[in-house]
Amino acid sequence: MALSLKFLITFFCATSLCLSLAEAATCTDCFVQSRATYYPNSEENGSDRGACSYGTFGATLNGGDVTAVSNLFRNGVGCGACYQVRCKNSYCTDNGVTVAITDSGSSDNTDFIMSQRAFSKMAQTTDSAQSLLALGVLDIEYKRVSCKYPGKNITIKIDENSNNPYYLAFGIWYQQGKMDITAVQLCETETKVCKLLDRSYGAIWTTSSPPSGELSLRMLFSDEDDDTWLVPINNIPKDWQPGQTYDTGVQVN
């Protein structure tokens, strides 16, 4: 029996819808609809007290174009990730602004609470920026993009609470690309014995009994398609000190 035209049309539309939904579910380069606001009592740049524990570095990371996020924080895994955010009214530019995550927070059903600097950069002009600030909350769309820090290698910042040789905590700065750091190991350079670290809070990795001597770092970079271990060229010296930064000699894209 021949299929009716109505059945064929219904089948075709349902199939097309399923395909569209499947493509949307797997699209990593698509914009997501949401809302954004800003810290009204913040400085123009970001805060030095964010949940990622970047300290003063977090206020100027990415030139001060930084943001707090809600679900995108992911218990600290999202720290340092970059997103293109663009608003959708007549005051807004087509490209919007690229922001880096430095904090966790939510307000009025928003995904982003930006620095005033970043929020204003979504506008076409200085006058438009004042109009956006006056609105306070905007409909936006966002997608993850690669972070870019020209001339910078991935850098290790030893937390001020560290105490050699009993306790080691550090953050990882200037990570380019779109992958997440999902695991970190420290290895003794002589014995090659490695220890898996804990993500203690925000972007801080810790161990209560760090290996002795010069330390080799291993970082696991992950996305939806791949997991890759990266071993820096430069090691952390055996006489590491709280508050110091160490250039790893490597970068990712």
Side-chain angles (χ1 to χ4, degrees):
M1 180 182 296
L3 295 175
S4 69
L5 178 61
K6 180 179 180 180
F7 177 85
L8 289 173
I9 293 174
T10 302
F11 176 78
F12 175 78
C13 292
T15 304
S16 298
L17 177 61
C18 289
L19 288 173
S20 297
L21 290 173
E23 290 173 355
T26 58
C27 179
T28 59
D29 198 40
C30 297
F31 280 97
V32 178
Q33 308 302 308
S34 185
R35 285 153 56 88
T37 186
Y38 67 95
Y39 285 111
N41 59 344
S42 70
E43 298 294 332
E44 182 181 353
N45 290 344
S47 169
D48 60 1
R49 297 182 297 275
C52 290
S53 300
Y54 287 133
T56 55
F57 172 73
T60 58
L61 175 65
N62 194 40
D65 294 335
V66 295
T67 187
V69 293
S70 50
N71 294 332
L72 296 174
F73 186 72
R74 294 177 291 150
N75 294 319
V77 176
C79 287
C82 291
Y83 288 85
Q84 180 185 357
V85 183
R86 60 190 188 190
C87 53
K88 301 165 65 178
N89 62 43
S90 59
Y91 301 121
C92 305
T93 64
D94 292 336
N95 293 327
V97 64
T98 296
V99 292
I101 295 175
T102 60
D103 199 1
S104 174
S106 61
S107 174
D108 197 14
N109 295 317
T110 61
D111 275 312
F112 295 85
I113 307 177
M114 301 182 188
S115 63
Q116 287 194 37
R117 171 190 171 92
F119 196 85
S120 299
K121 286 180 73 172
M122 292 190 291
Q124 298 179 24
T125 65
T126 301
D127 289 341
S128 297
Q130 293 304 312
S131 297
L132 292 186
L133 291 171
L135 289 172
V137 180
L138 301 174
D139 291 326
I140 56 99
E141 53 188 14
Y142 70 89
K143 67 177 180 178
R144 186 159 183 184
V145 295
S146 292
C147 297
K148 297 179 180 179
Y149 303 110
K152 297 289 187 180
N153 290 325
I154 295 173
T155 300
I156 304 302
K157 165 66 185 316
I158 307 296
D159 189 80
E160 284 77 3
N161 295 315
S162 298
N163 183 15
N164 194 350
Y166 306 106
Y167 174 73
L168 174 60
F170 61 82
I172 300 174
W173 292 1
Y174 297 123
Q175 173 202 341
Q176 294 190 155
K178 293 198 296 184
M179 301 182 81
D180 298 318
I181 298 177
T182 54
V184 174
Q185 288 184 334
L186 273 182
C187 305
E188 294 183 7
T189 55
E190 293 185 5
T191 65
K192 307 301 182 183
V193 174
C194 297
K195 180 174 185 178
L196 190 65
L197 304 189
D198 299 316
R199 185 190 292 275
S200 182
Y201 49 93
I204 302 298
W205 298 87
T206 65
T207 175
S208 57
S209 54
S212 60
E214 190 175 80
L215 302 176
S216 175
L217 189 70
R218 301 180 72 223
M219 298 173 287
L220 182 63
F221 288 83
S222 304
D223 60 17
E224 294 182 354
D225 302 317
D226 194 20
D227 294 304
T228 303
W229 284 99
L230 177 67
V231 179
I233 297 172
N234 301 329
N235 295 326
I236 299 173
K238 65 179 181 180
D239 59 346
W240 54 264
Q241 296 295 322
Q244 293 297 307
T245 57
Y246 299 105
D247 188 327
T248 64
V250 295
Q251 186 55 275
V252 294
N253 294 312

